[in-house]
Amino acid sequence: LADALGAGKTVTVIALVAADAEAARRLPLSDSRTSRATLIVVTPLIIRQWEAEIARFSGGKLRTLRIESAAHLQQLTSRQLREADVVLIVSDLLGCASSGKACAFEKAAVVKASALHTQEAQKEARRAGGGVR
């Protein structure tokens, strides 16, 4: 997703998540490793912009959690994280900024967690940078 500024990358991602939200909500949370959420990793400078645009373009229909710090993450329950439609997290919490090296998540910018239950999506995730389970 390296299109020019204003080319609709954010809206495209939001539309993809919104189109799959109802199906994801029907997935059973059978164990603590299952999540319905789409994980979106962003820089600290744009996390609030992403949150606002998700609300704007989804009509407020996507349950979104914003995680900007370790303290904020600790306040959330496992259930909240697993039942969200979108989890926005700053790349700093994943060690992406402090090391000066590219973060593994940056290869795949958006991880469609709810879709990883299908075999095709697992193949897609491996091709995009893998390691996501």
Side-chain angles (χ1 to χ4, degrees):
L1 293 175
D3 290 340
L5 186 65
K9 298 178 298 292
T10 302
V11 175
T12 301
V13 170
I14 294 167
L16 174 66
V17 174
D20 192 41
E22 285 304 315
R25 289 176 186 162
R26 287 191 299 270
L27 291 173
L29 294 174
S30 55
D31 63 55
S32 63
R33 296 174 296 171
T34 305
S35 176
R36 296 176 180 154
T38 295
L39 176 65
I40 301 177
V41 182
V42 298
T43 64
L45 293 175
I46 63 170
I47 192 165
R48 289 177 187 253
Q49 176 184 341
W50 263 90
E51 183 180 38
E53 292 194 16
I54 289 169
R56 177 179 163 205
F57 291 113
S58 74
K61 294 180 182 171
L62 292 176
R63 295 176 292 212
T64 304
L65 295 176
R66 175 178 35 92
I67 303 170
E68 295 185 81
S69 68
H72 185 208
L73 178 60
Q74 290 174 341
Q75 292 173 358
L76 297 171
T77 66
S78 170
R79 187 164 199 83
Q80 287 173 304
L81 289 167
R82 295 167 57 222
E83 290 183 346
D85 295 316
V86 178
V87 174
L88 290 169
I89 189 167
V90 291
S91 54
D92 296 9
L93 286 177
L94 302 174
C96 300
S98 61
S99 68
K101 297 178 182 175
C103 178
F105 284 101
E106 290 174 324
K107 292 179 184 174
V110 177
V111 178
K112 191 71 183 125
S114 62
L116 290 176
H117 296 283
T118 66
Q119 194 173 50
E120 186 59 35
Q122 289 173 349
K123 290 178 194 173
E124 195 76 29
R126 283 193 289 278
R127 284 194 298 270
V132 179
R133 296 183 200 334

